[in-house]
């Protein structure tokens, strides 16, 4: 008997943590990889997991929760200290984000520093504000626009002719590259790579929201690096440089009053908190720091310059860094919401869900045995001469005059055996024993020729074989015992020929008794008129 | 007859060589159970626990045949003790040696197992059979009679019915070599009724088995879709740079596509075989499945008929292009749908008999002779022809194979064509043609979607998912109707 397969109880937590990118990637990879594995083993594992998960009170109707716990379970099975593909992907993404943020920080700082020093003194605050605060703010606003689910305006399309020309050039180049690539890596590998790419595309095709949320989140990190770089450059410039600041515009509509209004609006956030005269020049200072192109600095107010510089630093903080931080946090929340909204109802997860929720049914034998090998003993046809007292035993239930007559006739015609007496043979051992007593008394002093009629399709069971050995014991060594085989009855007193298979079974079993004077006679059916 | 065993336990008993192990093998889906044409193949008790989630819900016992029924009956008739007769017989100090087979048979009965008594409906009942029936009656256990007509003729079923009707709780005809899932469930449902204590447990078991079967059918549909996707998306690509090279490249690409189709079909069959717990390739398939998929006979007999193919393609084309009419608010008077239908229909008519389609790039650059710098050249890409009969043939062969695997009884050991349950001439017309129009459209629409995906045409994820779900549901429903009968209730 085979013991039931022991299944280690999975250390599942029904309250597994929420979805993150690493878990999602791990789930996708596991589902793809396990598609080609043995389904029975997976079924056993996943069903055991689900039962344990359910036992711990995990919500069984939610694919999302169950799959999350399943991913944790797979991670526990994995080799320790080796990150899973999802964790690796997450780590790589983290590195890319960090390096990207550092790069954009440097870019922002360089951008701001360069803009401040490029044209020398005085710095035109209006232009500089537009470059270092206005553009990042516009990009941040665009980020909010997209975050709220709005679409980007359509980009202008190039003329059709130009597009076609470009397409033709591209096709030519692509074809040649493709040819070289195929020659280099072989067409099978190329097609396999294409298939993988298509698989990857398919994985993301139903997760546009999630992919764009993650992408936007990465862009927000890069954007934050940029505005922090600008802010740091402005802050440093304020501390280490004595450069003058002023404003200049060729447009007639840009007057000191309008610039004052603009400054008041921009500085509103911090003046509300820090006081009305902090971090921006006064109306008089604004009027006094206007300068004109190509006229250089004439009696520039240095105190006003310091206030302009504070205005820029505060502007960068309030309109550059803070909105970007808010956008980053909102973007993260959106990405988390997207992950939480995943219901994994896509078809590719059905198999896993079925394996978990459908009962695992097994029916196994407790130990199969090999078929019995029986030596195919073939007995010689019975050539022994007919003896004195021929007795035919007919099973009681087959008893009929017609059958008795036909059997005795066939025995005589086919085998030259006559039956002086025909007796009915009971089927139970006790009456058979009584019959045997009677036969023994008949056999005294004679060599008995005993024929026992049997239907070949009935198996030669131990009980019948025991009866034969009892016959031998009671009738003596000189008695001839013959099992007369007929096939299934076909009518009143007629029968079919025993099948080859049945003959062979009877021959084997009778031979196994080991008595050379017990033989088998096959009785062919009587000819039908 | 209360069933002392805590879980439903059935001992399959009968004369030697009556097909007890075949019945067990079919019920337990065990094609490795030792079954032989000679009596005495099973010589000792073999236990088959049925587990649902590692919990034993039912136990089947395979037993050797009665070898001394007369002696056993005489002993039981003479027994006057208080203990359970079967238990008393088994516990007797000399019986283990004198009547080993009877002891093995009565062992589970002594512990409250019910009996499934197997007889061969192709032979007349004889005295030993009556003795055995009486033994079982004296043991006082619940009894289910199974008439297993081994040769399939069942000539003596009425005689057996007369014999067993009085003393058996229920009587069934059950051919272990032809029984399909519905027959097995029907037998278990009958068995559920014989011991009231086991009723709930048996109902749960039957329900678990039915759900397990449904899961297999769903997995089969899934495997079909996977195989179709693999085949349809497959592309073979060969480069060439001369006219002679083009012919060679085309032939090579075509061979690669054909090899892929054959290999995928083989892999599919292996998976289906495993799904239905057939360990060996031990049955002969119908000629349409045995023959090579690209053989003329298969193409003549299987797959959608040309008329059906054209109608299906036209309807698919019309449904795809009807969207344009819809977007135009009906002002186009359905002309786009009509044009789409006609185009797809003509496409199907023209390419029905071609398995492989070749595609050359739009821009072909012939080699430029610049010494030392290879320039130009082009390639041919081969894949499955989208309007060909081939997808239909593949689907037909897959469905036929699933039905073969699902309906081949595990207790059957001879080779021969499996009995395909209620299949109206499947070998002559294929299965797709026998589906109703809606189902056929759903199946072929999924195939069309796979073709469009393979060709890189844009399709929304929802569209693809819907088409694939329709395919799976249709195939699963069809397989359920053919293999489960009323067992899915």
């Amino acid at each position: 008997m085979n013991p039931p397969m022991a299944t280690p109880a999975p250390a599942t937590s029904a309250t597994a943590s929420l979805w993150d990118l690493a878990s999602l990637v791990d789930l996708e990879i596991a589902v793809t990889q396990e598609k080609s594995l043995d389904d029975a083993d997976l079924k056993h594992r996943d069903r055991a997991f689900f039962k344990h998960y359910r036992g711990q009170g995990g919500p069984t109707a939610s694919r999302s929760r169950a799959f999350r716990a399943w991913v944790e379970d797979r991670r526990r099975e994995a080799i320790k200290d080796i990150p899973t593909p999802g964790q690796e992907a997450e780590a790589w993404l983290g590195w890319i984000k960090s390096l990207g943020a550092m790069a954009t920080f440097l870019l922002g700082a360089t951008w701001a520093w360069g803009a401040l020093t490029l044209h020398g003194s005085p710095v035109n605050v209006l232009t500089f504000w537009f470059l270092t605060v206005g553009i990042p703010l516009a990009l941040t606003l665009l980020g909010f626009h997209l975050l709220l689910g709005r679409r980007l305006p359509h980009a202008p399309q190039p003329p059709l002719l130009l597009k076609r020309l470009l397409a033709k050039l591209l096709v030519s180049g692509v074809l040649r590259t493709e040819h070289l690539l195929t020659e280099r890596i072989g067409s099978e590998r190329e097609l396999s790579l294409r298939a993988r790419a298509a698989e990857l595309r398919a994985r993301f095709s139903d997760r546009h929201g999630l992919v764009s949320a993650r992408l936007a989140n990465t862009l927000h990190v890069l954007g934050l690096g940029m505005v922090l770089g600008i802010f740091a450059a402005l802050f440093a410039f304020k501390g280490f440089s004595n450069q003058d600041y002023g404003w200049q515009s060729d447009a007639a509509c840009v007057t000191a009053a309008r610039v004052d209004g603009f400054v008041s609006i921009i500085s509103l956030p911090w003046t509300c908190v820090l006081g009305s005269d902090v971090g921006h020049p006064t109306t008089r200072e604004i009027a006094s720091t206007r300068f004109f192109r190509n006229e250089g600095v004439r009696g520039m107010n240095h105190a006003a310059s310091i206030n302009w510089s504070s205005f820029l630093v505060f502007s960068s903080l309030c309109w550059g860094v803070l909105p970007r931080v808010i956008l980053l946090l909102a973007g993260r929340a959106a990405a988390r919401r997207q992950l939480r909204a995943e219901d994994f109802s896509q078809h590719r997860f059905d198999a896993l869900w079925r394996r978990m929720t459908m009962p695992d049914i097994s029916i196994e034998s407790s130990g199969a045995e090999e078929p019995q090998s029986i030596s195919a003993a073939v007995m010689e046809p019975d050539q022994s001469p007919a003896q004195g007292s021929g007795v035919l035993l007919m099973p009681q239930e087959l008893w009929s005059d017609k059958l008795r007559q036909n059997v005795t006739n066939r025995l005589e015609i086919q085998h030259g055996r006559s039956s002086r007496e025909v007796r009915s043979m009971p089927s139970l051992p006790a009456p058979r024993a009584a019959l045997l007593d009677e036969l023994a008394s008949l056999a005294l002093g004679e060599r008995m020729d005993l024929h026992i009629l049997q239907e070949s399709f009935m198996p030669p069971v131990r009980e019948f074989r025991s009866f034969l050995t009892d016959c031998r014991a009671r009738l003596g060594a000189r008695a001839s015992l013959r099992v007369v085989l007929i096939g299934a009855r076909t009518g009143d007193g007629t029968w079919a020929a025993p099948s080859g298979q049945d003959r062979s079974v009877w021959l084997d079993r009778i031979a196994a008794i080991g008595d050379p004077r017990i033989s088998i006679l096959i009785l062919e059916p009587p000819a039908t008129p | 007859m209360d069933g002392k065993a805590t879980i439903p336990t059935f001992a399959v008993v009968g004369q030697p060589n009556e097909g007890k192990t075949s019945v067990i093998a079919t019920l337990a889906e065990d094609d490795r159970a030792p079954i032989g044409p000679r009596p005495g193949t099973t010589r000792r008790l073999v236990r088959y626990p049925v587990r649902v989630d590692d919990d034993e819900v039912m136990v089947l016992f395979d037993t050797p045949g009665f070898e001394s029924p007369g002696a056993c009956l005489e002993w039981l008739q003479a027994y006057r003790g208080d203990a359970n007769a079967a238990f008393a017989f088994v516990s007797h100090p000399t019986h283990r040696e004198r009547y080993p087979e009877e002891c093995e048979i009565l062992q589970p009965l002594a512990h409250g197992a019910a009996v499934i008594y197997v007889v061969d409906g192709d032979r007349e009942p004889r005295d030993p059979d009556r003795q055995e029936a009486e033994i079982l009656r004296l043991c006082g256990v619940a009894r289910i009679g199974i008439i297993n007509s081994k040769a399939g003729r069942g000539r003596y079923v009425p005689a057996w019915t007369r014999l067993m009707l009085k003393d058996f709780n229920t009587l069934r005809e059950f051919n272990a070599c032809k029984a399909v899932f519905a027959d097995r469930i029907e037998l278990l449902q009958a068995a559920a009724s014989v011991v009231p204590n086991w009723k709930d447990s048996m109902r749960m078991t039957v329900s678990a088995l039915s759900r397990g079967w449904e899961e297999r059918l769903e997995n089969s549909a899934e495997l079909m879709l996977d195989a179709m996707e693999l085949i349809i998306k497959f592309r073979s690509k060969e480069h060439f740079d001369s006219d002679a090279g083009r012919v060679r490249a085309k032939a090579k690409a075509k061979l690669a596509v054909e090899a892929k189709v054959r290999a995928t079909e083989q892999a599919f069959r292996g998976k289906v075989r495993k799904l239905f717990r057939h360990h060996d390739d031990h049955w002969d398939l119908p000629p349409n499945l045995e023959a090579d998929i690209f053989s003329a006979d298969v193409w003549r007999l299987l797959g959608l008929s040309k008329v059906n193919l054209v109608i299906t393609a036209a309807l698919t084309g019309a449904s795809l292009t009807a969207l344009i009419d819809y977007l135009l608010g009906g002002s186009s008077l359905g002309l786009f749908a009509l044009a789409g239908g006609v185009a797809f229909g003509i496409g199907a008519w023209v390419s029905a008999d071609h398995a492989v389609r070749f595609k050359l790039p739009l821009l072909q650059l012939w080699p430029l002779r610049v010494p030392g710098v290879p320039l130009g050249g082009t390639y041919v890409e081969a894949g499955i022809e989208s309007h060909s009969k081939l997808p239909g043939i593949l689907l037909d062969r897959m469905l036929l194979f699933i039905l073969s695997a699902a309906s081949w009884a595990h207790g059957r050991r001879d080779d021969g064509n499996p009995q395909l349950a209620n299949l109206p001439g499947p070998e002559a017309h294929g299965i797709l043609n026998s589906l109703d129009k809606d189902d056929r459209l759903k199946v072929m629409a999924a195939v069309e979607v796979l073709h469009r995906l393979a060709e890189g045409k844009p399709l929304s994820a929802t569209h693809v998912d819907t088409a694939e779900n329709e395919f799976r549901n249709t195939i699963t429903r069809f397989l359920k109707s053919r293999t489960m009968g009323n067992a899915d209730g």
Side-chain angles (χ1 to χ4, degrees), chain B residues 194-268:
Chain B
V194 298
V195 180
N197 289 354
W198 293 345
K199 218 166 198 172
D200 289 342
S201 183
M202 283 299 288
R203 197 178 298 134
M204 271 172 51
T205 308
V206 167
S207 151
L209 288 171
S210 297
R211 273 188 290 145
W213 186 262
E214 279 178 32
E215 189 189 354
R216 278 193 229 175
L217 299 183
E218 283 167 18
N219 287 342
S220 304
E222 186 64 50
L223 288 175
M224 275 180 77
L225 194 61
D226 285 350
M228 288 303 291
E229 194 175 342
L230 269 177
I231 288 171
I232 289 174
K233 286 191 175 172
F234 180 75
R235 294 284 183 274
S236 170
K237 197 169 152 190
E238 292 294 334
H239 281 272
F240 63 92
D241 52 11
S242 67
D243 279 333
R246 170 192 283 203
V247 177
R248 274 198 303 274
K250 276 177 94 168
K252 214 171 154 188
K254 187 179 175 205
L255 280 178
V257 172
E258 289 177 355
K260 177 71 179 177
V261 172
R262 289 188 188 102
T264 309
E265 199 188 24
Q266 278 309 313
F268 166 81

Side-chain angles (χ1 to χ4, degrees), chain A residues 176 347 366 455 462 504, chain B residues 38 40 47 101 126 222 376:
Chain A
R176 188 65 219 161
H347 159 66
S366 52
E455 287 172 306
R462 183 194 303 274
S504 153
Chain B
R38 292 166 164 270
R47 190 170 185 271
E101 289 83 10
R126 289 285 176 252
E222 186 64 50

Side-chain angles (χ1 to χ4, degrees), chain A residues 109-321:
Chain A
T110 314
W111 167 259
W113 197 275
L116 283 169
T117 53
L118 193 63
H119 287 294
S121 193
V123 174
N124 185 353
V125 176
L126 292 186
T127 313
F128 189 75
W129 191 93
F130 175 73
L131 289 176
T132 56
V133 181
I135 292 176
L137 180 61
L139 290 173
T140 306
L141 290 175
L142 184 67
F144 276 113
H145 179 82
L146 294 173
L147 189 69
L148 292 171
R150 309 275 153 66
R151 288 180 179 279
L152 277 175
H154 285 292
Q157 295 289 313
L160 192 63
L161 190 68
L162 186 65
K163 267 169 79 177
R164 282 189 180 164
L165 196 67
L166 276 170
K168 279 200 171 178
L169 278 171
L170 274 173
V171 166
S172 171
V174 166
L175 261 180
R176 188 65 219 161
T177 316
E178 215 178 316
H179 194 148
L180 290 173
L181 188 73
T182 310
E183 275 179 353
R184 183 71 54 87
I185 65 172
S187 65
E188 274 196 22
R189 202 157 158 216
E190 187 206 333
L191 290 166
S192 149
L193 283 173
R194 275 198 206 182
R196 273 163 194 251
E199 179 87 11
L200 198 66
R201 244 191 343 264
R203 290 278 177 274
F204 289 114
S205 66
D206 50 15
R207 291 211 177 90
H208 286 308
L210 179 65
V211 173
S212 48
R214 294 298 304 203
L215 194 66
N217 197 248
T218 308
L219 288 175
H220 297 158
V221 171
L222 302 186
L224 183 64
M226 180 97 176
V227 291
L228 278 173
I230 291 170
F231 174 72
L234 286 174
F235 195 76
F237 203 78
K238 182 176 183 294
F240 298 112
S241 167
N242 289 324
Q243 199 145 358
D244 288 322
Y245 294 83
W247 61 278
Q248 179 269 323
S249 173
D250 295 337
C253 60
V254 182
T255 60
R258 289 215 167 143
V259 172
D260 185 39
F262 168 75
V263 167
S264 301
I265 291 167
I266 294 297
S267 55
L268 200 61
W270 66 87
T271 52
C272 286
V273 179
L274 303 174
S276 59
D277 54 348
V278 178
H280 66 91
T282 60
T283 309
R284 188 179 298 166
E285 283 170 343
I286 290 170
S288 67
T289 51
R290 181 171 191 175
F291 69 93
F292 296 92
R293 195 195 293 264
N294 303 324
E295 288 188 8
V297 185
R298 283 185 302 183
M300 187 65 76
N301 182 347
H302 190 66
S305 279
I306 291 170
N307 278 342
W308 272 124
S309 142
S310 300
F311 170 75
L312 286 175
V313 171
F314 275 111
S315 282
S316 172
L317 183 65
C318 279
W319 298 105
V321 176

Side-chain angles (χ1 to χ4, degrees), chain B residues 129-192:
Chain B
D129 305 308
R130 295 185 189 95
Q131 291 161 5
E132 289 160 12
E134 184 61 10
I135 289 171
L136 300 177
R137 194 187 67 78
L138 288 173
C139 287
V141 292
R143 299 177 293 283
I144 302 150
I146 285 186
I147 304 175
N148 171 31
S149 302
K150 289 200 294 184
R153 291 187 290 271
R155 190 175 157 199
Y156 296 101
V157 170
W160 282 107
T161 308
R162 276 196 300 280
L163 173 71
M164 297 202 284
L165 205 55
K166 189 163 64 76
D167 288 330
F168 281 72
N169 302 72
T170 183
L171 191 60
R172 296 270 147 185
E173 273 193 72
F174 181 86
N175 190 326
C177 296
K178 288 183 181 171
V180 291
F181 178 75
D183 300 321
R184 302 201 314 253
I185 289 296
E186 201 184 327
L187 178 64
L188 291 176
Q189 278 168 342

